[in-house]
Amino acid sequence: MVTSRWTAAPAPAATPRRRGAVLERAILDAALEQLSTVGWKGLTMEGVAAGAQTGKAAVYRRWPSKEDLVADALRAGLPRLEAAPDLGGVREDLLALCRQARDGMFSRSGLALRSVIHECDTFEAERFHSVIVDGVVEPTVKLLRDVINRGIERGEVRPDAANGYVWDAVPAMMMYRSKMCGCEWNDQDLEEMVDQLMVPLLRSSAG
Amino acid sequence: MVTSRWTAAPAPAATPRRRGAVLERAILDAALEQLSTVGWKGLTMEGVAAGAQTGKAAVYRRWPSKEDLVADALRAGLPRLEAAPDLGGVREDLLALCRQARDGMFSRSGLALRSVIHECDTFEAERFHSVIVDGVVEPTVKLLRDVINRGIERGEVRPDAANGYVWDAVPAMMMYRSKMCGCEWNDQDLEEMVDQLMVPLLRSSAG
C-alpha cells in the first residue's frame, strides 16, 4: 500500500467544514426555510442546524436566541430595493416602485415575516415589528419620497404633496388590502391603485 | 313565630334571578371586561360566569364555545355608527365620520378586538377578523361612500372618486398608523389626514 500525503489527510466530512460568512448564510437560509415550512412555533435551533448541515453549537455561538436568529434571517432574506426608478414620469416611477414593494411583500422572506408576526405573542412580535419597519417600510417610503419629490421638481406633482400621509398611502393600502381581503397585488391591482389613488392625490392642478 | 306568605318564599339569592336579554347583556359585558383585564388567553367561561354573577351553565347554554362568546361580546360592544353626517361640506362630513371611526377603534370593544386578534392563533383569528370586517370596516366604508357620493352630487368631489381605493383610504391609513407607530388618532391627527390625504384626493378640478 502506497502511503502518500493524500492518504494522511483526514477523511473528508460529508460536507466540507465551512466558516464565516458562508456558514452564516447557510444557517440564515435554513432558518427561513424552517419558517416557510413549520413556522415560528415549529422552528427549533436544532432543526435549523440540521437544515444547515451543521451543529447546534455553531448556531448558538452566533445567535443566542430563537428571536435573534429569526430576526436576522428575515432581515437578510429581504430583497434589496433598488434606487428610485426614473422612467420619465411619476406614474411609471410609482408603478415600478410598487412592483418592487409587492415583490418584497410576497418573497419567501416577506411571507415568512408576516406569518411570524401573526404567530408570535405581543412581546416577541415587537422584535419583528421593527424588522418590518426598518427593513421594508422605511426603505420603501424613502424611495416614494424621492419619486414624489422628482415629480414636484418636474411640475407633475403639486408641491404640497410632500407630506407623510401621501408617502404612507401606498404601504398603508397594500398592507390593508392584503390583510382584509387577501389581495395579492398583481400588476393590474397595482396599476389600479396608482391610477385611482396616487395619480389623483399627486396631480398638480396645472396637469 | 308568625308564618306568612312572605316567609314561605325562598330566601332571595344574592342577585335576583335574571332572564333573557338582561342576563345575556350581563354575560357579554363580563366577557368584554375579562378581555380588557386578562385578555383572550386568560378568559375562561367560569370567569365570565362569575363576573356576570351567574352560573357556567347559563353561559354554555347560549354560547357553546369561548370563540362564540367572545365574537358576540365584541360585536355587541361596538359603538353603533350613526347615519352619515351631513354638516354642509365634504370636509366637515369626513371629519365627523373619522371621529366616529376613531371612537370605535379606541372604545373598550375596539381595543379588546385588536388585542384578541393579536393573541389568537391563525385559525381562531379568522373568526374575529370577520367581526372587524362586518362590524367595523364595512359600516364605516358604507358611510364614507355616502359622504363622498353626496360630495359628487354637490360638485365638491370629482365624479371618478367613487371607487374602492378612495373609500379604503381612511380605514387603511387609520389602521396603518395605529399599528406602525401607535398613533392614537386625536382630533388634530384626523384633521391632518382629512386635509392632507382626503381633500386633495377628492377635490374636483373646479374646486
Side-chain angles (χ1 to χ4, degrees):
Chain A
M1 191 180 290
V2 177
T3 314
S4 76
R5 259 186 255 121
W6 297 114
T7 55
T15 308
R17 189 186 168 109
R18 298 152 299 172
R19 286 183 174 74
V22 177
L23 178 54
E24 287 183 13
R25 181 163 298 281
I27 293 172
L28 293 177
D29 201 71
L32 261 195
E33 192 56 33
Q34 289 272 299
L35 284 173
S36 308
T37 49
V38 300
W40 164 262
K41 290 196 162 87
L43 184 149
T44 60
M45 302 298 252
E46 291 76 6
V48 172
Q53 292 180 292
T54 188
K56 241 186 354 180
V59 181
Y60 275 113
R61 196 176 303 137
R62 295 164 175 79
W63 293 281
S65 73
K66 189 172 157 175
E67 287 80 2
D68 293 321
L69 173 60
V70 167
D72 271 5
L74 291 168
R75 231 181 260 114
L78 290 170
R80 296 279 154 266
L81 284 175
E82 301 149 24
D86 189 352
L87 303 167
V90 76
R91 180 189 183 270
E92 287 63 38
D93 292 353
L94 273 179
L95 253 174
L97 196 49
C98 289
R99 283 190 206 107
Q100 280 190 55
R102 182 271 316 276
D103 293 343
M105 241 176 123
F106 291 93
S107 65
R108 178 171 70 157
S109 190
L111 291 167
L113 184 51
R114 276 186 293 162
S115 70
V116 154
I117 292 211
H118 206 64
E119 278 188 81
C120 285
D121 66 36
T122 317
F123 176 70
E124 293 160 336
E126 277 315 298
R127 181 75 183 270
F128 303 122
H129 184 82
S130 71
V131 175
I132 288 194
V133 175
D134 302 338
V136 181
V137 174
E138 279 186 8
T140 307
V141 169
K142 186 198 172 304
L143 295 182
L144 279 159
R145 287 163 63 169
D146 290 346
V147 164
I148 287 168
N149 284 339
R150 199 187 299 134
I152 292 173
E153 284 162 29
R154 286 197 188 117
E156 282 188 84
V157 173
R158 56 186 179 86
D160 47 357
N163 69 72
Y165 289 96
V166 170
W167 301 324
D168 283 354
V170 163
M173 185 62 64
M174 290 186 76
M175 284 195 197
Y176 178 76
R177 283 208 171 180
S178 165
K179 197 170 168 58
M180 285 294 136
C181 43
C183 179
E184 293 183 335
W185 290 106
N186 62 33
D187 286 356
Q188 185 181 336
D189 296 326
L190 293 175
E191 279 200 52
E192 284 177 7
M193 175 177 63
V194 168
D195 287 333
Q196 296 182 22
L197 177 67
M198 296 311 289
V199 167
L201 179 57
L202 296 172
R203 180 162 47 202
S204 73
S205 39
Chain B
M1 190 181 294
V2 176
T3 313
S4 77
R5 260 189 251 117
W6 296 112
T7 55
T15 308
R17 189 187 168 108
R18 300 152 297 173
R19 286 183 174 74
V22 177
L23 178 53
E24 286 183 10
R25 181 163 299 280
I27 293 172
L28 293 176
D29 201 71
L32 262 195
E33 191 56 33
Q34 289 272 298
L35 284 174
S36 310
T37 50
V38 299
W40 163 262
K41 289 195 164 90
L43 185 149
T44 59
M45 303 297 254
E46 291 78 4
V48 172
Q53 292 179 291
T54 188
K56 240 183 1 179
V59 181
Y60 276 112
R61 196 176 304 135
R62 293 164 177 80
W63 293 281
S65 75
K66 189 172 159 176
E67 288 80 2
D68 293 321
L69 173 60
V70 167
D72 271 5
L74 291 169
R75 230 180 263 114
L78 290 170
R80 297 277 154 267
L81 284 175
E82 300 150 25
D86 189 351
L87 303 167
V90 75
R91 180 189 182 270
E92 286 63 37
D93 293 352
L94 272 179
L95 254 175
L97 195 47
C98 289
R99 280 189 208 110
Q100 282 192 54
R102 182 269 318 273
D103 292 346
M105 241 175 122
F106 291 92
S107 65
R108 180 171 70 157
S109 190
L111 292 168
L113 183 51
R114 277 187 291 165
S115 71
V116 154
I117 291 212
H118 208 64
E119 278 188 83
C120 284
D121 67 36
T122 317
F123 176 70
E124 294 161 333
E126 278 313 300
R127 181 74 183 271
F128 304 122
H129 184 83
S130 72
V131 175
I132 287 192
V133 175
D134 302 337
V136 180
V137 174
E138 279 186 7
T140 307
V141 169
K142 185 196 172 307
L143 295 182
L144 278 159
R145 287 164 63 170
D146 290 346
V147 165
I148 287 169
N149 285 337
R150 198 188 297 133
I152 292 174
E153 285 161 29
R154 282 196 191 119
E156 282 189 85
V157 172
R158 54 187 180 86
D160 49 356
N163 69 73
Y165 289 95
V166 170
W167 301 326
D168 283 354
V170 162
M173 185 61 64
M174 290 186 76
M175 285 193 195
Y176 179 76
R177 283 206 171 181
S178 165
K179 197 171 168 56
M180 286 291 135
C181 42
C183 180
E184 294 185 333
W185 289 107
N186 61 34
D187 286 355
Q188 184 179 338
D189 296 326
L190 293 176
E191 279 200 51
E192 284 176 7
M193 175 175 63
V194 167
D195 286 334
Q196 296 182 22
L197 178 68
M198 297 310 290
V199 166
L201 179 56
L202 297 172
R203 179 163 50 202
S204 74
S205 38

